[in-house]
């Protein structure tokens, strides 16, 4: 015996939620999760139970492209709730099987190469089910700020692990709760913490909906509909990447650091490398939302096709009307963003 004691967890969600922090370069640290959204689901469910919004035995329903679905099913398993998932067409057999074994009802959208259509179908299906079963509680992961609550714990981990000094958080925007929640909590300690968001082309969230990336499969980092949980004014920088660049980052992360992670993590890793080179005195934390298992066939099995990240660079733009494939970057400067997105299709002028 070496005198070390092991922690026995009350439920698997406690075991898998805690991330590993891995230093990739002198000023880039990866915070790697098995399933990032366990924090969002646990924080939300605990809050909803505590304030009486939901009760044990009730059915929680939501739409998901994957990792939130599993996180919510696990939270429901832990707290005695029923779970109904309206799943994206991108949810694979491995994920669906886990959901079903956990007791979740899974409605999966039909095969489609159009992720915008897939997302709209999912939301329409949720509304249909709520009309039939008004006792269900819609979690609204895209819109309910209750999903921010769990990420304060992640911010505490980051603050304890990293030395004091300038810090930038880099991660996929997604529903806005993870990057937004972590940045908000860190800024309670240091208002100068910067937040860099990563977007796929085609997402409405930061105004790239007029573009189409036919190979895009990163459904969890963009959106075909406005997300209420995205607080645009939290973001200092935004990067838009196509699939080729996200794949380059994902394979590069595995090749250079032996980290098997999802496509959104690879995209954030590529962006963080660029930002870290521009600002070497600032630590950059890359949010690694999940592992690479659901991208095995379409990304990792094609690793020989991946381009070298070292030769890639974004086009710096000053306004959304300059946005162009395959990789663009812009100082967002914590601005608000209205609907429609065209409100920012011009350069800001000094008054």
């Amino acid at each position: 015996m070496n005198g070390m004691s092991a922690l026995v967890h009350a439920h698997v969600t406690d075991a898998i939620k805690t991330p590993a922090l891995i230093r990739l370069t002198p000023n880039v640290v990866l915070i790697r999760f098995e399933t990032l959204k366990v924090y969002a689901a646990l924080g939300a469910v605990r809050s909803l139970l505590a304030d009486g919004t939901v009760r044990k035995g009730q059915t929680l329903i939501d739409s998901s492209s994957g990792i939130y679905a599993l996180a919510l099913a696990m939270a429901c398993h832990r707290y005695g709730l029923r779970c109904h998932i309206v799943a994206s067409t991108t949810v694979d057999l491995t994920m669906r099987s886990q959901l079903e074994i956990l007791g979740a009802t899974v409605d999966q959208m039909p095969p489609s190469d159009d992720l915008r259509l897939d997302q709209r179908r999912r939301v329409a299906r949720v509304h249909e089910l709520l009309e039939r079963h008004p006792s269900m509680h819609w979690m609204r992961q895209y819109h309910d700020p209750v999903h921010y609550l769990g990420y304060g714990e992640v911010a505490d981990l980051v603050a304890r692990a990293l030395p004091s000094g300038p810090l930038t958080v880099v991660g996929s925007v997604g529903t806005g709760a993870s990057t937004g929640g972590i940045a908000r909590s860190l800024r309670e300690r240091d208002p100068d913490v910067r937040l860099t968001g990563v977007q796929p082309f085609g997402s409405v969230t930061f105004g790239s909906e007029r573009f189409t990336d036919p190979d895009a499969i990163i459904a969890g980092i963009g959106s075909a509909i406005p997300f209420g949980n995205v607080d645009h004014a939290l973001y200092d920088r935004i990067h838009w990447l196509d699939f080729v660049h996200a794949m380059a980052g994902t394979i590069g992360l595995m090749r250079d650091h032996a980290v098997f992670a999802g496509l959104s993590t690879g995209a954030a890793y590529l962006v963080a490398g660029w930002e870290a080179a521009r600002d070497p005195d600032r630590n950059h934390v890359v949010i690694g939302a999940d592992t690479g298992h659901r991208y095995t066939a379409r990304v990792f099995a094609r690793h020989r096709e991946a381009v070298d990240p070292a030769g890639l660079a974004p086009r710096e733009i000053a306004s959304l009307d300059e946005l162009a494939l395959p990789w663009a970057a812009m100082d967002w400067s914590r601005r608000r963003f209205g609907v429609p997105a065209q409100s920012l299709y011009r350069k800001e002028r000094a008054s």
Side-chain angles (χ1 to χ4, degrees), residues 45-56 58 137:
V45 168
R46 286 168 177 163
S47 176
L48 294 169
L49 285 168
D51 66 17
T53 300
V54 301
R55 63 189 185 281
K56 287 194 174 183
Q58 193 169 352
H137 178 80

Side-chain angles (χ1 to χ4, degrees), residues 328-347:
M330 178 177 171
D331 287 331
W332 193 261
S333 304
R334 305 191 188 185
R335 289 177 294 180
R336 294 288 171 189
F337 185 56
V339 178
Q342 288 80 359
S343 62
L344 279 179
Y345 280 17
R346 59 183 181 275
K347 294 181 180 179

Side-chain angles (χ1 to χ4, degrees), residues 52-68:
T53 300
V54 301
R55 63 189 185 281
K56 287 194 174 183
Q58 193 169 352
T59 298
L60 308 187
I61 183 172
D62 214 343
S63 159
S64 175
S65 62
I67 59 174
Y68 179 78

Side-chain angles (χ1 to χ4, degrees), residues 96-225:
R96 178 166 183 147
S97 299
Q98 291 179 81
L99 294 172
E100 291 174 346
I101 293 168
L102 285 168
T105 300
V106 182
D107 272 330
Q108 187 160 13
M109 295 299 98
S112 173
D113 292 327
D114 186 342
L115 294 183
R116 298 183 187 189
L117 175 61
D118 176 75
Q119 199 164 51
R120 294 189 187 104
R121 281 174 171 168
R122 283 188 273 140
V123 173
R125 177 62 173 159
V126 169
H127 282 292
E128 178 186 334
L129 289 166
L130 289 170
E131 287 181 7
R132 293 184 189 175
H133 309 285
S135 64
M136 288 182 170
H137 178 80
W138 184 12
M139 291 298 292
R140 301 176 76 243
Q141 66 151 323
Y142 306 139
H143 306 292
D144 192 335
V146 72
H147 290 92
Y148 272 68
L149 298 177
Y151 290 113
E153 188 176 343
V154 180
D156 290 340
L157 288 172
V158 171
R160 291 198 303 269
L162 297 182
S164 60
L167 177 66
T168 295
V169 176
V170 183
S172 61
V173 175
T175 65
S178 59
T179 46
I182 293 169
R184 274 185 181 174
S185 294
L186 286 170
R187 285 175 184 166
E188 291 176 2
R189 302 170 175 84
D190 179 4
D192 293 328
V193 168
R194 292 174 59 82
L195 178 58
T196 295
V198 181
Q199 281 277 273
F201 283 94
S203 174
V204 306
T205 305
F206 281 88
S208 70
E209 64 269 26
R210 68 189 189 276
F211 294 91
T212 300
D213 180 5
D215 293 319
I217 57 172
I218 24 183
I221 80 171
S223 175
I225 58 175

Side-chain angles (χ1 to χ4, degrees), residues 215 243 247 251 296-306:
D215 293 319
F243 170 80
M247 179 176 174
I251 300 302
T296 300
R298 295 188 64 180
V299 176
F300 290 95
R302 298 167 54 192
H303 62 90
R304 292 179 182 84
E305 302 172 28

